Amino acid sequence: MFVLKNFGQQIRVLREQRNISLNKFAKELEVSPAYLSNLENGKTDSIKLEVLWKLQNRLQVLGLEHTETETEFHYRLNRITRNLIQLEKLQPTFATYLLETTEKGIDVGYQFFGSDVSVILSQQDERYSP
């Protein structure tokens, strides 16, 4: 909760520097004013990813570089990629398991929705093979 308390204080400072009222900003974030107040005062121990994403886009609270065209999906995918690369250095077997599970999940998804993912993945594999 300490981390979110400091994070909440940072949100408040940035919001006030931009002269945005609590109620207006809560509406923009699609949260209640009470939730935003609790977040700013460190009285909540969780934050939804979509709210964090909106905060980042509006206030750049995380100090992350991103482009205007980057979507939440792309941000999350890039974050997973970076984390998986780091995990592979620490726990290669587990990282491989997660990667293989993801690939199998994609295969199932494509099969469920009627596309032949094996052709797509084999083309991708050919492009990245040495």
Side-chain angles (χ1 to χ4, degrees):
M1 183 116 85
F2 178 74
V3 171
L4 282 181
K5 182 174 182 177
N6 290 337
F7 181 68
Q9 291 170 348
Q10 181 183 8
I11 292 169
R12 175 183 284 137
V13 167
L14 293 169
R15 176 180 60 78
E16 289 175 347
Q17 285 176 348
R18 289 165 174 77
N19 294 316
I20 306 170
S21 73
L22 180 91
N23 289 335
K24 181 179 177 185
F25 198 47
K27 187 174 182 178
E28 188 177 323
L29 297 174
E30 299 176 358
V31 299
S32 70
Y35 175 80
L36 182 56
S37 177
N38 285 339
L39 182 62
E40 289 183 350
N41 290 302
K43 294 180 180 176
T44 185
D45 60 356
S46 65
I47 183 170
K48 290 184 177 181
L49 186 58
E50 64 235 26
V51 174
L52 184 60
W53 181 250
K54 290 174 186 177
L55 286 166
Q56 173 62 16
N57 282 337
R58 185 67 163 95
L59 302 176
Q60 289 75 45
V61 292
L62 302 176
L64 299 174
E65 293 184 26
H66 65 88
T67 64
E68 291 299 320
T69 59
E70 183 179 45
T71 65
E72 178 182 354
F73 180 84
H74 290 112
Y75 167 77
R76 292 171 63 193
L77 185 59
N78 289 333
R79 181 176 173 270
I80 289 169
T81 301
R82 288 189 306 273
N83 287 337
L84 195 56
I85 289 168
Q86 290 301 314
L87 183 60
E88 197 272 334
K89 293 174 185 175
L90 300 171
Q91 295 289 330
T93 303
F94 186 61
T96 299
Y97 166 78
L98 289 175
L99 186 58
E100 288 172 353
T101 301
T102 302
E103 290 170 337
K104 288 176 186 174
I106 292 169
D107 286 345
V108 169
Y110 274 107
Q111 289 171 4
F112 180 78
F113 292 107
S115 296
D116 185 6
V117 75
S118 61
V119 172
I120 295 168
L121 291 178
S122 66
Q123 291 170 349
Q124 293 292 326
D125 290 343
E126 289 170 10
R127 286 196 302 192
Y128 296 110
S129 295

